[in-house]
Amino acid sequence: MNMDNATTKDRFSFIRKTPLSLHNPVVALLLCLASFFATSFNAMAQTTYTFAVVPQFEQRKLFAIWKPIVDEVAQRSGLSLKLVATLSVPEFEHGIGQGAFDFVYANPYHIMKVSSSQGYIPLVRDSAPLRGILVVRKDSPIHSPAELDGKTVAFPSPNAIGASLLMRADLARLFKATVKPLYVKTHSSVYLHVVNGLASAGGGVEKTLQEQDPSIRDALKVLYTTREMASHPIAAHPRVPKEVREKLRSALLEFGATREGREMLAKVPMEQVVSTSIDDYAAMRTWGLESLWVDE
């Protein structure tokens, strides 16, 4: 009995004194698996996706509207999202053309234009259609877009789909009006230029006009409205994994169905969030807008 006990003690003593060897295949495998899962976990935890928004408002107002939305969607989806706001529409367009942003809220025609090079995938949009509007001061003597021939008209940028691109096409083709375009960076600046008499008219969209201060909005009247189109989408670059794209889509749809979500998204404005795809924008390819696009 004593010999057995001694033998047992010796065995355990040997085990305690023998270090785990990295050459042991089982130990090596366990270490490799631990390293793999730790690396994968850290990679997922550290992945932050950029969420860029077309500068439809001046930057401070844009952050005030979009930052709470992005933060809420990040919390609901479990994703790490960083809001990005460029200083101008051309700067934003350049970023999309380079595929610089993971998620974007953008001009639908620009999404179509870079579809072959970047392939942004529309996820959600507002159910309400987008229409461009041409505004003048309420006391303006101009009663038809044709009367703007030779006059200065303010636009946010050359390529804003409803406010500028389609509007300039309609002025030239439907009303034979050759205008002097003045590009002023944002929709809000367009309306201010018209109210202050710095432009005879201005291009915008119904949604952004409704977001203006009443003192600006009530000083303007809509002279002309374009055909309707599917609203600006929130889209994802194809490098974003499909499961991540779908998490964002689901979070936006769920958030948009809540009272708090509707109130916050109405400021975009996005009244009712619905799922979308590139097919909703295909008709734009037939509108002959390519010749009016300006690469900046």
Side-chain angles (χ1 to χ4, degrees):
M1 177 68 72
N2 290 338
M3 289 180 61
D4 288 341
N5 288 341
T7 302
T8 303
K9 288 179 181 179
D10 289 343
R11 287 172 182 168
F12 283 116
S13 175
F14 173 77
I15 291 172
R16 285 196 299 271
K17 293 178 181 179
T18 303
L20 290 175
S21 173
L22 293 178
H23 297 293
N24 184 316
V26 175
V27 174
L29 177 60
L30 290 173
L31 288 174
C32 286
L33 288 173
S35 177
F36 171 79
F37 286 117
T39 301
S40 300
F41 177 81
N42 288 336
M44 288 189 293
Q46 293 171 5
T47 299
T48 296
Y49 296 97
T50 53
F51 192 118
V53 176
V54 62
Q56 62 196 117
F57 307 113
E58 55 87 17
Q59 199 170 62
R60 187 164 27 183
K61 181 176 180 180
L62 188 146
F63 264 93
I65 291 173
W66 277 98
K67 186 66 164 60
I69 294 171
V70 171
D71 288 348
E72 181 66 27
V73 170
Q75 183 176 355
R76 286 174 175 268
S77 65
L79 302 174
S80 176
L81 302 173
K82 178 183 178 182
L83 177 61
V84 175
T86 57
L87 293 176
S88 67
V89 172
E91 183 183 346
F92 176 80
E93 291 173 347
H94 178 73
I96 291 182
Q98 297 298 310
F101 313 123
D102 297 314
F103 295 104
V104 293
Y105 173 71
N107 176 340
Y109 187 73
H110 202 177
I111 296 292
M112 298 296 294
K113 183 171 174 58
V114 301
S115 60
S116 60
S117 61
Q118 297 301 331
Y120 276 97
I121 302 165
L123 301 175
V124 300
R125 61 175 173 84
D126 188 6
S127 63
L130 177 70
R131 285 181 285 263
I133 56 172
L134 189 66
V135 299
V136 295
R137 284 176 56 100
K138 275 191 174 176
D139 58 2
S140 173
I142 295 172
H143 299 291
S144 167
E147 297 173 40
L148 290 170
D149 187 48
K151 298 188 182 300
T152 298
V153 177
F155 302 102
S157 73
N159 303 327
I161 178 64
S164 179
L165 200 60
L166 183 56
M167 185 62 70
R168 288 185 292 119
D170 285 0
L171 284 170
R173 296 168 187 170
L174 299 181
F175 300 102
K176 312 302 179 186
T178 301
V179 302
K180 299 175 182 176
L182 176 64
Y183 300 116
V184 296
K185 298 185 177 180
T186 68
H187 288 232
S188 297
S189 290
V190 166
Y191 303 132
L192 283 171
H193 272 69
V194 177
V195 168
N196 292 323
L198 301 175
S200 298
V205 296
E206 293 171 318
K207 294 179 179 181
T208 57
L209 179 61
Q210 293 306 311
E211 286 297 304
Q212 301 304 304
D213 186 274
S215 63
I216 300 298
R217 187 177 65 242
D218 295 344
L220 299 169
K221 65 179 179 182
V222 176
L223 187 67
Y224 170 70
T225 303
T226 70
R227 76 199 84 174
E228 66 182 38
M229 65 203 85
S231 294
H232 286 46
I234 292 175
H237 196 277
R239 68 170 167 267
V240 177
K242 183 177 181 181
E243 60 269 24
V244 173
R245 300 197 303 261
E246 292 307 318
K247 280 184 179 180
L248 188 85
R249 190 204 303 263
S250 296
L252 283 162
L253 291 171
E254 291 170 5
F255 181 50
T258 66
R259 183 173 62 83
E260 178 189 17
R262 287 193 296 270
E263 290 175 355
M264 291 170 67
L265 288 163
K267 298 174 183 178
V268 170
M270 189 180 285
E271 299 293 340
Q272 182 179 1
V273 182
V274 295
S275 189
T276 191
S277 73
I278 199 72
D279 294 339
D280 288 342
Y281 304 95
M284 293 182 184
R285 296 188 187 278
T286 67
W287 292 355
L289 302 178
E290 183 64 28
S291 62
L292 295 171
W293 184 272
V294 178
D295 290 316
E296 297 182 279

